[in-house]
């Protein structure tokens, strides 16, 4: 009986250690020497962030990616998904070193409609969520970066980002 509890405790310790390590793991290097990260996000907009002159909570939420590397990154293989791994946006173009790219809910809706997908926007939950940045590499989908946030970070007009 004591030995069984020891095994259960050991499994629990390992699981917690893995969860902590994954939450704070550094992003994976992008192809070449570029390095994309989820830099900042705003899940609970309280004003017009997309600049169309109208406040809409779904259209005005946003996220920002940044190229923290030394080389340009071709964005064609990159996707953003939420906790259920539903692809919310596919990138295009090139991101130069040190530059950022802002994706609004409006941009996500436009991409979803053009791609024939259900138009739901970024769908960043104000009560907390997880955002994934993926790269399609041949037949594999590679996690590049992940950002989890809670209800405090998802509050009205409160963005969450890297330091």
């Amino acid at each position: 009986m004591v030995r069984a509890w020891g095994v259960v405790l050991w499994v629990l310790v390992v699981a917690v250690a893995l969860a902590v390590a994954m939450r704070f793991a550094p992003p994976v290097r992008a192809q070449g020497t570029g390095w994309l990260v989820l830099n900042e996000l705003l899940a609970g907009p309280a004003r017009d962030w997309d600049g169309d002159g109208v406040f809409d909570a779904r259209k005005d939420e946003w996220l920002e990616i940044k190229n923290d590397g030394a080389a340009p990154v071709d964005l064609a293989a990159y996707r953003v998904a939420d906790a259920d791994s539903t692809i919310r946006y596919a990138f295009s173009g090139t991101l130069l070193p040190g530059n950022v790219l802002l994706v609004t809910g409006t941009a996500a809706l436009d991409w979803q409609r053009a791609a024939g997908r259900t138009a739901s926007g970024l769908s960043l939950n104000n009560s907390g969520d997880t955002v994934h940045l993926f790269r399609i590499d041949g037949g594999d989908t590679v996690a590049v970066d992940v950002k989890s946030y809670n209800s405090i970070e998802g509050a009205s007009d409160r963005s969450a980002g890297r330091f």
Side-chain angles (χ1 to χ4, degrees):
M1 181 72 159
V2 172
R3 184 173 185 186
W5 280 109
V7 170
V8 169
L9 181 60
W10 180 81
V11 169
L12 183 60
V13 167
V14 169
V16 169
L18 284 172
V20 168
M22 289 187 71
R23 179 164 169 83
F24 296 105
V28 176
R29 280 259 180 212
Q31 289 178 326
T33 57
W35 191 352
L36 290 185
V37 295
L38 289 164
N39 197 51
E40 189 174 4
L41 61 86
L42 180 99
R47 56 187 155 141
D48 176 28
W49 282 95
D50 69 353
D52 68 357
V54 178
F55 168 72
D56 182 308
R58 184 168 62 163
K59 292 180 178 180
D60 291 314
E61 61 188 6
W62 53 263
L63 61 84
E64 178 183 82
I65 62 168
K66 181 178 182 182
N67 181 351
D68 265 353
V73 175
D74 179 0
L75 300 175
Y78 291 88
R79 311 285 186 269
V80 168
D82 61 358
D84 68 3
S85 297
T86 300
I87 300 299
R88 302 295 177 175
Y89 185 76
F91 295 92
S92 61
T94 301
L95 191 58
L96 298 175
N99 285 4
V100 297
L101 177 66
L102 183 75
V103 178
T104 63
T106 298
L109 286 165
D110 291 345
W111 174 82
Q112 290 162 354
R113 288 181 184 121
R117 294 178 176 244
T118 301
S120 57
L122 292 172
S123 296
L124 303 175
N125 295 315
N126 297 17
S127 60
D129 205 345
T130 300
V131 180
H132 299 272
L133 178 62
F134 292 116
R135 182 181 76 242
I136 308 302
D137 190 5
D140 294 329
T141 302
V142 179
V144 175
D145 197 10
V146 63
K147 168 66 176 150
S148 293
Y149 63 93
N150 58 34
S151 61
I152 294 171
E153 294 170 305
S156 292
D157 268 354
R158 184 173 292 168
S159 69
R162 297 189 182 275
F163 52 89

